[in-house]
Amino acid sequence: MAAGSHSMDETKRIGRQSVGVAEEFIPSTFAERGVAVPFTTPLLAQARLRLDRNEQFEFLLPNFTGGKGVYVMPWKTVPSMMTVTLHDRLLFDAISKLEVHSPESIRHASLEVQASGVAGPDAALAAAKALDRDGQYLVLTQFILVTELLKLVGMGAADLLRPGMNVDESRRMARQALGKVAQIVKVQPEMLSAVVERLGAVVAPVGLPYCPEPGRLRALATRLDEFCAELDRWANLDLSDASDLARFVAEVGRHTLELVKMRMVQMDKVCADAKQIIHGEQRFRTAILAHVGRISWLLDGWDFILAMWESVRDAPGEAQQSMVADISRLVPVIPKEEIAMSTESFDMDALARIQRRWVRVNEDWRTGALDMPAVMRMESLKAGAA
């Protein structure tokens, strides 16, 4: 891809050379699909980031300027094509410093930038709360792992929290009990806490099956299930062309959930025996990482879509129709490697024709000026999706 800025004609040429809208639009792998990045510049909203053949960043922009196809654009071209918000410049800088570009690492970088306040006070507060929830859930996950291990020596969480016991007594009992557990699972006592910390950090995004509260991704899967059912109900009542788009989004969402649930069942089986997890930490940690990673990739981008729909849930029908069109352009298409053999094919060409009837222009291309109300909507959605 040529360096430097491009004219609009050149940008369209780049788009025509990129992935198409029909069958060829479906990427082969998650790496090819890229990671959804929650930018606040309207035309960059949920653009997908990936590395090109030269290990340079490039962005995939669906239906850019209303044209057919997915436009591929290097970051250095973006500022010459549109006015980019300060938030997005800072977020790209943070992303460029990451060693791994996964949905989890991008999400954490985004929350850190958002918490700084550059996307507004509401978004900053939401990000700070999200980071705090992540930290608290990690502690809870590690605690649950410890309580599962204590069962091996006939103890439970209640034994450490008996009335009249102070914190020091509880800790002393826990250390003694874990010492006995270490003997059973044949792990050095001083290594056991480190093992619990490592495993807790790996599994926390999804959460343990026996945890009293679901992990973030497990909860997101439940919300996606409810969203698909709600969108189907809405499509049955709506008389516009947007109803077909809503059914398409719900169909992709349901198949995504099938794959997510399959991964969760496999992961939950791995986590079912705490003793075996500790005894074969490296092997089980590798297996859990693979399942959590796949679940994270499958659900990547859906949290923002849910926030988009929730923002118009009580709005007039016309606003909902327009939002459904916007959502359909951002729906995370499942890569070919993840699509089950039984999946029914989607009529992507027909859906693309409907989408083009709902295209909205977010920016005046003669001036490159930002549509500030649209920026504010993106910032509001970031607060809702955090």
Side-chain angles (χ1 to χ4, degrees):
M1 189 171 299
S5 62
H6 298 275
S7 66
M8 180 54 62
D9 289 339
E10 288 174 319
T11 302
K12 290 182 177 179
R13 174 179 56 77
I14 294 171
R16 287 195 295 269
Q17 294 172 347
S18 64
V19 185
V21 174
E23 290 183 357
E24 64 268 27
F25 173 76
I26 302 177
S28 296
T29 65
F30 284 117
E32 184 180 334
R33 189 180 78 175
V35 187
V37 182
F39 288 128
T40 57
T41 303
L43 283 173
L44 290 179
Q46 292 301 98
R48 289 192 170 271
L49 169 72
R50 71 182 186 186
L51 295 176
D52 63 17
R53 295 176 181 176
N54 299 316
E55 296 295 304
Q56 299 296 314
F57 291 122
E58 63 183 14
F59 290 91
L60 307 183
L61 308 178
N63 297 90
F64 189 55
T65 74
K68 181 178 179 179
V70 174
Y71 286 73
V72 181
M73 188 180 297
W75 172 259
K76 56 189 175 184
T77 300
V78 172
S80 68
M81 300 300 301
M82 65 193 78
T83 304
V84 181
T85 62
L86 174 61
H87 167 278
D88 293 354
R89 293 176 184 274
L90 292 176
L91 178 53
F92 179 79
D93 288 343
I95 290 173
S96 64
K97 297 174 183 176
L98 295 175
E99 294 183 3
V100 177
H101 301 95
S102 66
E104 291 301 305
S105 64
I106 296 293
R107 174 181 177 273
H108 186 78
S110 174
L111 288 175
E112 291 282 359
V113 172
Q114 187 176 328
S116 70
V118 292
D122 291 340
L125 180 60
K129 288 182 177 179
L131 289 169
D132 186 58
R133 283 196 304 269
D134 288 352
Q136 290 181 357
Y137 196 81
L138 173 58
V139 172
L140 175 62
T141 301
Q142 293 168 340
F143 179 76
I144 295 299
L145 272 175
V146 169
T147 57
E148 286 297 308
L149 290 172
L150 291 180
K151 291 179 182 178
L152 299 176
V153 291
M155 292 184 63
D159 294 305
L160 305 180
L161 301 172
R162 289 199 299 262
M165 289 182 62
N166 58 38
V167 175
D168 291 336
E169 289 175 330
S170 295
R171 287 176 176 171
R172 178 177 54 78
M173 285 191 64
R175 282 195 298 269
Q176 290 176 348
L178 286 176
K180 295 178 182 178
V181 172
Q183 293 177 353
I184 294 176
V185 298
K186 300 179 181 179
V187 174
Q188 292 296 323
E190 60 271 14
M191 293 177 59
L192 190 57
S193 61
V195 171
V196 168
E197 287 182 7
R198 288 194 295 268
L199 289 174
V202 167
V203 77
V206 175
L208 293 162
Y210 35 77
C211 188
E213 296 181 20
R216 176 174 52 82
L217 293 176
R218 204 180 289 266
L220 177 56
T222 299
R223 290 176 58 208
L224 177 56
D225 196 9
E226 295 168 351
F227 166 74
C228 292
E230 183 177 351
L231 214 56
D232 274 332
R233 291 193 295 270
W234 181 88
N236 291 334
L237 297 174
D238 185 77
L239 300 178
S240 72
D241 290 335
S243 61
D244 287 336
L245 290 176
R247 292 187 183 94
F248 159 68
V249 173
E251 188 172 0
V252 176
R254 279 192 297 272
H255 188 64
T256 298
L257 279 171
E258 289 177 11
L259 297 172
V260 166
K261 290 175 181 177
M262 179 187 71
R263 288 283 180 177
M264 284 186 179
V265 168
Q266 294 171 346
M267 193 193 88
D268 290 349
K269 288 181 179 178
V270 173
C271 297
D273 189 338
K275 177 181 176 181
Q276 289 299 315
I277 293 176
I278 298 298
H279 187 64
E281 183 212 354
Q282 183 60 49
R283 178 165 55 92
F284 283 103
R285 184 153 56 96
T286 299
I288 293 171
L289 267 173
H291 292 312
V292 172
R294 279 303 205 211
I295 293 169
S296 181
W297 275 106
L298 282 164
L299 294 175
D300 179 40
W302 280 106
D303 52 349
F304 191 83
I305 286 176
L306 297 186
M308 291 174 72
W309 176 249
E310 289 164 1
S311 72
V312 297
R313 179 172 282 148
D314 299 321
E318 189 173 311
Q320 292 178 335
Q321 292 164 2
S322 182
M323 185 61 80
V324 165
D326 288 343
I327 287 174
S328 68
R329 289 190 286 270
L330 297 177
V331 64
V333 179
I334 304 168
K336 293 177 182 178
E337 68 176 5
E338 289 289 326
I339 295 179
M341 296 299 292
S342 60
T343 303
E344 296 182 1
S345 60
F346 305 126
D347 189 349
M348 298 293 288
D349 284 325
L351 289 166
R353 288 194 295 273
I354 297 172
Q355 286 185 86
R356 287 197 292 275
R357 295 176 60 181
W358 289 97
V359 169
R360 294 191 302 170
V361 178
N362 286 313
E363 187 167 347
D364 184 344
W365 284 99
R366 292 169 298 176
T367 64
L370 280 176
D371 178 353
M372 291 311 298
V375 172
M376 293 177 67
R377 286 194 296 272
M378 289 300 107
E379 292 177 350
S380 177
L381 287 172
K382 281 181 69 67

